[in-house]
PDB file of all heavy atoms in Angstrom:
ATOM      1  N   ALA A 273      -3.989   2.693 -10.475  1.00 98.00           N
ATOM      2  CA  ALA A 273      -2.973   1.935 -11.191  1.00 98.00           C
ATOM      3  C   ALA A 273      -3.282   0.454 -11.258  1.00 98.00           C
ATOM      4  O   ALA A 273      -2.765  -0.247 -12.140  1.00 98.00           O
ATOM      5  CB  ALA A 273      -1.604   2.143 -10.538  1.00 98.00           C
ATOM      6  N   HIS A 274      -4.120  -0.059 -10.354  1.00 97.00           N
ATOM      7  CA  HIS A 274      -4.391  -1.496 -10.312  1.00 97.00           C
ATOM      8  C   HIS A 274      -5.666  -1.774  -9.527  1.00 97.00           C
ATOM      9  O   HIS A 274      -5.876  -1.223  -8.448  1.00 97.00           O
ATOM     10  CB  HIS A 274      -3.224  -2.248  -9.662  1.00 97.00           C
ATOM     11  CG  HIS A 274      -2.611  -1.525  -8.493  1.00 97.00           C
ATOM     12  ND1 HIS A 274      -3.245  -1.370  -7.278  1.00 97.00           N
ATOM     13  CD2 HIS A 274      -1.414  -0.889  -8.371  1.00 97.00           C
ATOM     14  CE1 HIS A 274      -2.467  -0.678  -6.454  1.00 97.00           C
ATOM     15  NE2 HIS A 274      -1.354  -0.375  -7.092  1.00 97.00           N
ATOM     16  N   VAL A 275      -6.518  -2.622 -10.076  1.00 95.00           N
ATOM     17  CA  VAL A 275      -7.717  -3.079  -9.365  1.00 95.00           C
ATOM     18  C   VAL A 275      -7.743  -4.593  -9.416  1.00 95.00           C
ATOM     19  O   VAL A 275      -7.263  -5.216 -10.373  1.00 95.00           O
ATOM     20  CB  VAL A 275      -9.014  -2.497  -9.964  1.00 95.00           C
ATOM     21  CG1 VAL A 275      -9.066  -1.000  -9.799  1.00 95.00           C
ATOM     22  CG2 VAL A 275      -9.173  -2.900 -11.425  1.00 95.00           C
ATOM     23  N   HIS A 276      -8.310  -5.199  -8.384  1.00 92.00           N
ATOM     24  CA  HIS A 276      -8.333  -6.653  -8.278  1.00 92.00           C
ATOM     25  C   HIS A 276      -9.321  -7.041  -7.192  1.00 92.00           C
ATOM     26  O   HIS A 276      -9.847  -6.190  -6.467  1.00 92.00           O
ATOM     27  CB  HIS A 276      -6.930  -7.189  -7.947  1.00 92.00           C
ATOM     28  CG  HIS A 276      -6.297  -6.501  -6.774  1.00 92.00           C
ATOM     29  ND1 HIS A 276      -6.597  -6.814  -5.474  1.00 92.00           N
ATOM     30  CD2 HIS A 276      -5.395  -5.481  -6.717  1.00 92.00           C
ATOM     31  CE1 HIS A 276      -5.905  -6.033  -4.656  1.00 92.00           C
ATOM     32  NE2 HIS A 276      -5.175  -5.211  -5.390  1.00 92.00           N
ATOM     33  N   SER A 277      -9.554  -8.321  -7.069  1.00 88.00           N
ATOM     34  CA  SER A 277     -10.413  -8.832  -6.004  1.00 88.00           C
ATOM     35  C   SER A 277      -9.843  -8.452  -4.636  1.00 88.00           C
ATOM     36  O   SER A 277      -8.624  -8.413  -4.462  1.00 88.00           O
ATOM     37  CB  SER A 277     -10.499 -10.354  -6.117  1.00 88.00           C
ATOM     38  OG  SER A 277     -11.022 -10.918  -4.938  1.00 88.00           O
ATOM     39  N   PRO A 278     -10.700  -8.180  -3.656  1.00 84.00           N
ATOM     40  CA  PRO A 278     -10.203  -7.854  -2.316  1.00 84.00           C
ATOM     41  C   PRO A 278      -9.695  -9.054  -1.531  1.00 84.00           C
ATOM     42  O   PRO A 278      -9.228  -8.894  -0.402  1.00 84.00           O
ATOM     43  CB  PRO A 278     -11.414  -7.225  -1.626  1.00 84.00           C
ATOM     44  CG  PRO A 278     -12.594  -7.811  -2.329  1.00 84.00           C
ATOM     45  CD  PRO A 278     -12.168  -8.005  -3.758  1.00 84.00           C
ATOM     46  N   VAL A 279      -9.742 -10.263  -2.098  1.00 83.00           N
ATOM     47  CA  VAL A 279      -9.276 -11.433  -1.377  1.00 83.00           C
ATOM     48  C   VAL A 279      -7.799 -11.252  -0.994  1.00 83.00           C
ATOM     49  O   VAL A 279      -6.990 -10.783  -1.785  1.00 83.00           O
ATOM     50  CB  VAL A 279      -9.464 -12.717  -2.221  1.00 83.00           C
ATOM     51  CG1 VAL A 279      -8.644 -12.686  -3.501  1.00 83.00           C
ATOM     52  CG2 VAL A 279      -9.115 -13.955  -1.412  1.00 83.00           C
ATOM     53  N   GLY A 280      -7.474 -11.551   0.244  1.00 81.00           N
ATOM     54  CA  GLY A 280      -6.112 -11.376   0.726  1.00 81.00           C
ATOM     55  C   GLY A 280      -5.820 -10.003   1.295  1.00 81.00           C
ATOM     56  O   GLY A 280      -4.750  -9.780   1.865  1.00 81.00           O
ATOM     57  N   GLY A 281      -6.748  -9.058   1.142  1.00 84.00           N
ATOM     58  CA  GLY A 281      -6.583  -7.736   1.741  1.00 84.00           C
ATOM     59  C   GLY A 281      -5.386  -6.965   1.223  1.00 84.00           C
ATOM     60  O   GLY A 281      -4.749  -6.225   1.966  1.00 84.00           O
ATOM     61  N   GLN A 282      -5.091  -7.069  -0.078  1.00 88.00           N
ATOM     62  CA  GLN A 282      -3.876  -6.468  -0.616  1.00 88.00           C
ATOM     63  C   GLN A 282      -4.026  -5.010  -1.049  1.00 88.00           C
ATOM     64  O   GLN A 282      -3.055  -4.260  -1.080  1.00 88.00           O
ATOM     65  CB  GLN A 282      -3.399  -7.290  -1.814  1.00 88.00           C
ATOM     66  CG  GLN A 282      -3.013  -8.719  -1.479  1.00 88.00           C
ATOM     67  CD  GLN A 282      -1.737  -8.787  -0.672  1.00 88.00           C
ATOM     68  OE1 GLN A 282      -0.689  -8.325  -1.088  1.00 88.00           O
ATOM     69  NE2 GLN A 282      -1.826  -9.359   0.520  1.00 88.00           N
ATOM     70  N   GLY A 283      -5.233  -4.586  -1.428  1.00 89.00           N
ATOM     71  CA  GLY A 283      -5.399  -3.316  -2.135  1.00 89.00           C
ATOM     72  C   GLY A 283      -4.887  -2.093  -1.407  1.00 89.00           C
ATOM     73  O   GLY A 283      -4.039  -1.354  -1.912  1.00 89.00           O
ATOM     74  N   LEU A 284      -5.416  -1.818  -0.211  1.00 94.00           N
ATOM     75  CA  LEU A 284      -5.006  -0.623   0.528  1.00 94.00           C
ATOM     76  C   LEU A 284      -3.510  -0.658   0.825  1.00 94.00           C
ATOM     77  O   LEU A 284      -2.813   0.360   0.691  1.00 94.00           O
ATOM     78  CB  LEU A 284      -5.820  -0.519   1.820  1.00 94.00           C
ATOM     79  CG  LEU A 284      -5.607   0.705   2.699  1.00 94.00           C
ATOM     80  CD1 LEU A 284      -6.879   1.013   3.504  1.00 94.00           C
ATOM     81  CD2 LEU A 284      -4.455   0.536   3.683  1.00 94.00           C
ATOM     82  N   ASN A 285      -3.012  -1.809   1.211  1.00 96.00           N
ATOM     83  CA  ASN A 285      -1.598  -1.939   1.547  1.00 96.00           C
ATOM     84  C   ASN A 285      -0.720  -1.683   0.334  1.00 96.00           C
ATOM     85  O   ASN A 285       0.318  -1.005   0.419  1.00 96.00           O
ATOM     86  CB  ASN A 285      -1.331  -3.333   2.112  1.00 96.00           C
ATOM     87  CG  ASN A 285      -1.963  -3.540   3.470  1.00 96.00           C
ATOM     88  OD1 ASN A 285      -1.384  -3.231   4.498  1.00 96.00           O
ATOM     89  ND2 ASN A 285      -3.189  -4.054   3.488  1.00 96.00           N
ATOM     90  N   LEU A 286      -1.119  -2.209  -0.820  1.00 96.00           N
ATOM     91  CA  LEU A 286      -0.366  -1.999  -2.049  1.00 96.00           C
ATOM     92  C   LEU A 286      -0.310  -0.520  -2.399  1.00 96.00           C
ATOM     93  O   LEU A 286       0.736   0.003  -2.809  1.00 96.00           O
ATOM     94  CB  LEU A 286      -1.015  -2.801  -3.175  1.00 96.00           C
ATOM     95  CG  LEU A 286      -0.315  -2.845  -4.525  1.00 96.00           C
ATOM     96  CD1 LEU A 286       1.058  -3.477  -4.422  1.00 96.00           C
ATOM     97  CD2 LEU A 286      -1.178  -3.597  -5.547  1.00 96.00           C
TER      98      LEU A 286
END
Side-chain angles (χ1 to χ4, degrees):
H274 39 71
V275 295
H276 51 80
S277 165
V279 63
Q282 297 290 301
L284 184 152
N285 291 273
L286 186 61

